[in-house]
Each structure stands twice: as C-alpha cells, then as structure tokens.
Amino acid sequence: MNDQDQSAPSLSVSDEVMIRINQMHKWYGQFHVLKDINLNVNSGERIVVCGPSGSGKSTLIRCINRLEEHQKGEIWVDGIELTGDLKHIEQIRREVGMVFQHFNLFPHLTVLENCTLAPIWVRKMPKAEAEDIARSYLERVKIPEQADKYPGQLSGGQQQRVAIARSLCMNPKIMLFDEPTSALDPEMIKEVLDVMIELARDGMTMICVTHEMGFAKTVANRVIFMDGGEIIEQNEPQEFFNNPQSPRTREFLSQILLH
Amino acid sequence: MDTATRTYAPGEYPDEKPPIGQSGFLHWVYTNLFSSPFNIILTLLTGYFLYKIVPPAFNWLFVDAVFVADSREHCRELNSGACWGFIGKRFGQFTYGFYPHELRWRVNLTFLLFIAAVLPILWGNMPKRREMLWFSALFPFIGIWLLCGGFGLEPVETSKWGGFMLTMVIGVTGIAVSLPLGILLALGRQSDLHIIRWVCTGFIEFIRGVPLITLLFVASTMLNYFLPPGSNFDLLLRVLIMVVLFSAAYLAEVVRGGLQAIPKGQVEAADAMGLKYWQSMRLVVLPQALKISIPGIVNTFIGLFKDSTLVVIIGLLDPLGIGRASLSDTKWQGLSTEVYVFIALFFFICCFSMSRYSIYLEKKLHTGHRED
C-alpha cells in the first residue's frame, strides 16, 4: 500500500466516492463551528485530520454519522444523503463505524456482548454467528482471551482495541476515529496504533482525528489541517509535512514537531 | 545505607503479614469502641442502655409471654408478659380480613403462585428461568381471577379483603405497575419532543406536590363525581390507581437521577452503531441507569409498602384497621401493644427483605472496577 501511494501521486485510491461533503456549515447556537466544508473521500482512503483544539475536527467527523447535525450544505455517505430522515441516518450508521476518545464501551456488558450487541440487534444476526465474528475480530486486535471479561477489568489500550473490534463487527465500509489515542498512557498508544495500521493496510476507508503524526506519515494518503472551523490545507503526507503551504499550518507543525 | 542492608533481589521481596495489632478482632474492638475517652464513654453508655432494654424486652416478648389464652384475664392469670394468644385467635382476620372462611384457600394458593412468579424475576440464575418467566407474565391474571372470583369461582367483593392480604395486594400491584410507569415518565421527561416532556413533567410535579392521603380521598369520594352516575367503580381499584400514580411520580425522579449519571458517550456509541432509540434505552442506558438507581427505587418501594396503611383512613381494613377493630372486643381490651408489635414485625420483615435483596442485587450487578 505504501509503495502504491508513493508511486501514484493521485490522492484517491479508488474512484468510488464514499463521502461527499458539499459547502457544509454548522453552528452551536450563535457560534459558527464549521465553515464551508468541502470534502470528498474515496473508497480505501486513509485520511488524517489534525489541527489545534477547538478547530472543529471532531465536530466534522461527528457530522458524518450525524452525532452532530449540520445546518447548511449537504453530506452524502455511501450514496445516501444525511437529512433529518431517521431511516437514512440509521442506514448510514450501520455502514459507518466510530471509535471514541474515551472508548465508550458498555460497562454492564462483557467484551463479547459489547461486540455482538449491534450485529444481533441492528443486523438481526443469529447470536452464535455474531459471537463467531466477534471472536475473530477480538483475535485480530489481539485480545481473544479477554472476551468474557468486563470492560472495567481491562487496561485503556485493551479497551480501545475492544472498541475497534466492536465497530468492525458491524462490517462497516467507513471507520471514523475520534482521537483514539488521546486518553491512553504512552505505552498503550502503540498497541492501538498497530491495530489501526493493520486495518489501513487491509484497505479500510478511514478518517482519523489524531495528533499522532508518525501514524499520519506511515498510513495516511491525505492529511487535512483544520483551524477555526475551516479546512486550511490538505495534501499527501510527504508534501504536507515537508512543504506546508499556509503560514498557519507551518506554525502548527513547528509546534507539534518540536516535541 | 538501605541498599547495603538489602538481602533480596529486586522483585523478590516476600509478601508479609501485617504487623500484629493492626488487624483482627482486638484491633477492631480497639479502633471502633475504645479509641478515645469520648468513644469509651459512648461505648459504656450504649452498653448500659442495651442492658436495660434488651433483657426486659426479650422477657416480655418470649419468656413471660402467653401463647394460648381465651381472654385478657386468662392471659394475666397465666403470666405477666405479652399476650400472643390474642393474636393467635385473630390471626385469620389479620391475614385475610373478612375474606370468607371457606374460600381462604384461594388467597393461600394465590400467595404460593405469587412466590413462584416472583422467584424467576428476582433470581437471575434460576434453572428453567425463561419458561418460568412466562408464568410470571401470566400470574397477574391468575391472581386476579383467584382473588376476585368469577368464571366458575364464587365472586368475593374487594370490600371484604383486608389484613396482610390487602397490604400485599396494594404493595405488589403498586410496585409491579409503578416501576415501568415511572421509567416511562423519566424517559418522557428527558424527551426531545416538547409535548411529551411537558406532559410528563407536569404530571410528576403535580403528583409530587400533593400528599398521598389527599389522592386517596380523591379516589374514595371525588372520583365518583367525574364518573357517569350509577357506575360503581371498585374502591380498591381506585386506591390502587392512586397508589400507582403516586409512587410512579417518585420513581420517575429516582430513575431520572440514574439516567443523568450515564455519560453521553454511552448513547453516542449506541447511536453510532445504528441502534434505534428504544433499543439503546433498553440495552444500553436503562440497565446502567436502573443499577445506579436501585437504592432509590427500593427506598420508594419500601415507602409505598408502608404507605399502604394509609388506606385505613378511607375505610379499607388493612392490618392497622383490623387491629383497631379487634381491640374493641371487650374480652381482649387493652392489648394494643401486642397488636402493634405484631403488625410492626410483619412490615419489618417485608421491608427488611426488600432492603437486603437490593444489596444483593447491587453486588451482583457490579462489574469491574469502579472509577472512583
């Protein structure tokens, strides 16, 4: 995959458009959080969204599965437009997985039950089949032995890997990551990133809000920089890090790369 | 200096027992009873009062008590303690009220079936639980049929019901119906739909702002004005409705507290997976919210169970009503202590069981480490 990226300057991995965001705006009350967002994401793309806190990057990806409502413009996901229509929202959420900063596992359910909940209730899958799939994904995130424990008994890194497995059990077409490593101890960040890198290698369409620039360099095919609710700059990682166009991007990069 | 005296390799220091006097029975006695002069005084005072109260009470209740007697005079001739013979004579009335003698088996049977119906609900690991839960769902209909009669059984008017049976009917119906209603009200109060939210909030605030006794009076007198003339709406049913509405309003607030304690991320995670509103409530939010609310819910249940004695004021013969009526018997006058101790014991056993069950349930539902 990496080789392909370097040989092909084109940002798209496939021609099929998965997400299309057109002149989208969002307000919290009077506060204009997202301004004129235009973004196309093709199938198989790995996009990293970065920017200072409060720049609207989390809000942007939360709009894609309608955890936040946009007030102007259009969002199309997998050929379906996001509107107030509950049917559309449910249809899109089935195909879009999300991983949160604070994991948001269900503490009253075991790891396995966390993973089978949505396949059983949303996809109407038989319990045995859902459990088989869940176990295979837990194997993939390298914690098959924790299946019968409760989330409260796991470390942060393990919980986040369960959360990833839980999303994958729905067999989503797109995965959204909202600062998946920000709440983790340094020694646990790597185990989560490794899982994400593997996922990217398998061709998953991913949008990650993260400050892990190493991850952006290895995996992303496009990096988006946001500030003040706008997309300031987007480019492939090589160009983005070595040759940032906007002064605001240069300032941001100089601040985080100094560390 | 320390490193020089260290004779073990890192990581190999053995697990030792805590120093003597830091744990065990004597340590407990010392820290809890005799840790300071003030504590010593309190311990001695408490010991003195216990010595003054417990042995005489024990003697009155058991040692000097009379368990079989024909009248108060007979009791006094036999011994000086409690006259339980009186309770024994009236036991049937205390239990069944004025339910016809020859039909009391129906009450007993209902009680046995009630135990069988409740067991699978309370006991999570019961064998054959699923099949038994079907019976639990059917029980209300069987119970009503057995108690009220009809369909081949001789009808018994609810005005003849009384005693512990009446308390159980009000308590069990109140608890079983008000919990789901309370949950719905709590969810409604948090709803995004304005009308539902206003209706639920208005209902809760109105009911909470009125004493239960007022609602019972409304049930016994005023409700007739609103109903078409001539319709005879059963008094017990009216009381049950009021009791249910009353405790549902309280439960709604208890459950709302639990709902508010659930982090927003839980609903977001459920939403992001594509679960519908009712699914995410039933599968994700309510199991957690109700678990947090258990102490408050059981507290409300206990309150409801004891408040059922208020129905005596509108003329239903709950145990207190039966007790009062039986005290007017000239043969047994002056035995009110026995009557009230007996009734108190019944209520204590029921309420204490509920409280212990709630503790068991909280422990059982505790998963993993607490954040705090």
Side-chain angles (χ1 to χ4, degrees):
Chain A
M1 279 288 195
N2 269 345
D3 299 340
Q4 203 182 27
D5 284 347
Q6 274 147 18
S7 62
S10 129
L11 295 180
S12 60
V13 174
S14 130
D15 289 339
E16 189 194 349
V17 180
M18 286 301 272
I19 301 171
R20 201 169 76 230
I21 302 177
N22 239 342
Q23 298 172 353
M24 186 264 278
H25 294 256
K26 170 163 181 62
W27 288 263
Y28 285 131
Q30 294 298 307
F31 179 54
H32 201 168
V33 227
L34 292 177
K35 300 169 182 165
D36 192 33
I37 302 290
N38 291 285
L39 178 67
N40 280 355
V41 180
N42 287 2
S43 178
E45 275 201 89
R46 288 91 46 205
I47 294 178
V48 163
V49 184
C50 60
S53 70
S55 59
K57 50 199 193 307
S58 282
T59 311
L60 169 62
I61 69 163
R62 287 161 61 89
C63 281
I64 295 172
N65 63 355
R66 193 80 172 188
L67 287 184
E68 303 285 353
E69 199 176 318
H70 60 279
Q71 276 91 28
K72 215 174 135 193
E74 320 176 327
I75 301 178
W76 292 74
V77 181
D78 196 22
I80 303 163
E81 191 184 356
L82 265 177
T83 56
D85 189 338
L86 272 180
K87 279 251 157 52
H88 287 187
I89 295 173
E90 278 161 16
Q91 230 172 327
I92 286 169
R93 283 175 176 170
R94 249 174 275 162
E95 307 305 332
V96 179
M98 186 159 202
V99 174
F100 299 86
Q101 180 177 3
H102 296 289
F103 331 135
N104 298 0
L105 293 176
F106 305 133
H108 63 300
L109 300 177
T110 63
V111 165
L112 192 68
E113 288 167 338
N114 263 282
C115 293
T116 56
L117 190 75
I120 289 174
W121 291 94
V122 179
R123 291 242 191 262
K124 311 288 176 206
M125 198 183 276
K127 195 176 168 211
E129 192 188 338
E131 285 183 354
D132 283 346
I133 291 174
R135 283 187 200 281
S136 76
Y137 278 116
L138 287 174
E139 189 112 27
R140 242 180 96 173
V141 301
K142 301 184 184 62
I143 35 174
E145 71 285 356
Q146 313 285 4
D148 297 316
K149 288 198 182 158
Y150 286 96
Q153 299 165 310
L154 305 184
S155 74
Q158 289 172 324
Q159 289 194 45
Q160 192 60 298
R161 285 185 283 152
V162 171
I164 295 174
R166 177 175 74 172
S167 289
L168 293 177
C169 283
M170 282 294 278
N171 194 19
K173 293 180 178 164
I174 302 161
M175 283 287 281
L176 307 174
F177 292 85
D178 189 1
E179 306 205 22
T181 54
S182 307
L184 295 177
D185 292 340
E187 50 184 325
M188 291 168 184
I189 291 178
K190 188 174 175 298
E191 64 187 49
V192 170
L193 287 181
D194 283 346
V195 168
M196 290 170 63
I197 290 169
E198 202 178 307
L199 200 58
R201 298 235 156 96
D202 290 343
M204 175 65 76
T205 309
M206 298 164 71
I207 304 182
C208 314
V209 171
T210 181
H211 296 120
E212 297 297 330
M213 290 305 141
F215 174 78
K217 280 176 189 160
T218 23
V219 196
N221 67 320
R222 180 149 54 129
V223 180
I224 292 177
F225 175 71
M226 285 184 75
D227 190 23
E230 290 173 89
I231 293 181
I232 303 286
E233 184 169 347
Q234 50 179 313
N235 216 327
E236 52 189 295
Q238 211 83 35
E239 277 293 292
F240 179 83
F241 289 111
N242 297 340
N243 193 13
Q245 300 299 304
S246 129
R248 188 67 196 87
T249 316
R250 271 195 292 265
E251 192 193 332
F252 177 75
L253 284 178
S254 72
Q255 271 160 3
I256 58 166
L257 291 181
L258 279 177
H259 291 291
Chain B
M1 201 166 77
D2 278 337
T3 45
T5 56
R6 202 163 81 168
T7 54
Y8 52 89
E12 286 188 352
Y13 199 91
D15 291 337
E16 289 173 348
K17 290 216 165 102
I20 297 164
Q22 298 292 303
S23 62
F25 177 70
L26 280 180
H27 177 69
W28 184 90
V29 167
Y30 176 74
T31 49
N32 288 291
L33 302 177
F34 299 105
S35 58
S36 70
F38 181 64
N39 243 352
I40 293 173
I41 293 172
L42 278 184
T43 304
L44 293 177
L45 271 178
T46 313
Y48 176 72
F49 281 120
L50 285 178
Y51 167 74
K52 275 299 205 188
I53 292 168
V54 174
F58 186 80
N59 284 342
W60 184 81
L61 282 168
F62 303 108
V63 180
D64 300 334
V66 179
F67 292 92
V68 182
D70 291 326
S71 69
R72 184 182 140 90
E73 267 64 58
H74 189 202
C75 259
R76 287 291 162 264
E77 283 164 26
L78 289 169
N79 213 331
S80 61
C83 182
W84 298 124
F86 173 47
I87 304 292
K89 279 269 188 302
R90 295 279 178 160
F91 191 77
Q93 232 174 56
F94 270 115
T95 314
Y96 307 100
F98 295 97
Y99 209 86
H101 231 282
E102 65 283 4
L103 299 178
R104 283 178 182 176
W105 64 269
R106 276 161 47 181
V107 181
N108 295 340
L109 180 61
T110 311
F111 185 69
L112 287 178
L113 292 177
F114 163 70
I115 303 273
V118 162
L119 217 58
I121 297 173
L122 300 185
W123 182 16
N125 307 323
M126 184 178 176
K128 300 236 176 212
R129 183 167 187 239
R130 260 170 191 283
E131 292 81 350
M132 289 296 287
L133 280 173
W134 280 107
F135 172 70
S136 307
L138 275 176
F139 169 76
F141 304 102
I142 304 173
I144 291 169
W145 176 55
L146 278 172
L147 292 179
C148 299
F151 301 102
L153 287 176
E154 192 182 324
V156 179
E157 282 171 35
T158 56
S159 57
K160 292 191 174 148
W161 302 11
F164 299 137
M165 168 204 172
L166 186 67
T167 305
M168 290 298 282
V169 166
I170 297 174
V172 171
T173 317
I175 286 170
V177 182
S178 65
L179 182 60
L181 192 60
I183 292 171
L184 287 180
L185 282 170
L187 290 176
R189 194 167 184 171
Q190 305 226 305
S191 170
D192 293 334
L193 305 169
H194 293 282
I195 294 183
I196 293 182
R197 196 168 68 225
W198 290 335
V199 168
C200 291
T201 310
F203 175 84
I204 292 168
E205 294 302 339
F206 171 73
I207 297 276
R208 283 203 311 165
V210 177
L212 176 59
I213 194 71
T214 316
L215 291 176
L216 291 177
F217 275 128
V218 168
S220 77
T221 58
M222 275 173 65
L223 225 54
N224 273 344
Y225 291 111
F226 301 121
L227 295 169
S231 68
N232 190 13
F233 198 50
D234 190 90
L235 176 61
L236 178 61
L237 189 56
R238 282 182 269 165
V239 165
L240 280 176
I241 291 172
M242 287 306 180
V243 168
V244 162
L245 295 183
F246 187 76
S247 71
Y250 277 87
L251 283 172
E253 288 299 281
V254 172
V255 173
R256 186 165 70 100
L259 289 173
Q260 280 174 347
I262 307 302
K264 215 170 133 233
Q266 293 287 306
V267 183
E268 286 180 353
D271 282 350
M273 291 171 150
L275 289 175
K276 294 184 170 68
Y277 173 79
W278 286 109
Q279 288 176 329
S280 76
M281 286 302 133
R282 191 164 71 79
L283 301 167
V284 174
V285 176
L286 280 175
Q288 298 181 58
L290 292 180
K291 188 186 112 186
I292 303 173
S293 321
I294 287 172
I297 291 175
V298 173
N299 196 30
T300 311
F301 283 172
I302 289 176
L304 165 120
F305 196 76
K306 291 189 298 184
D307 282 352
S308 72
T309 50
L310 286 174
V311 299
V312 72
I313 295 176
I314 55 164
L316 292 181
L317 289 173
D318 87 310
L320 283 182
I322 299 276
R324 221 157 42 171
S326 62
L327 281 172
S328 58
D329 186 339
T330 45
K331 255 177 36 176
W332 295 99
Q333 262 169 357
L335 293 176
S336 49
T337 315
E338 280 85 345
V339 167
Y340 291 122
V341 166
F342 175 62
I343 295 170
L345 184 71
F346 165 77
F347 277 99
F348 179 76
I349 289 173
C350 293
C351 297
F352 189 65
S353 315
M354 283 195 250
S355 146
R356 295 311 298 182
Y357 177 74
S358 88
I359 291 172
Y360 153 82
L361 198 62
E362 275 178 73
K363 279 199 182 132
K364 200 188 91 168
L365 295 179
H366 176 63
T367 59
H369 305 290
R370 240 165 249 201
E371 293 290 325
D372 51 26

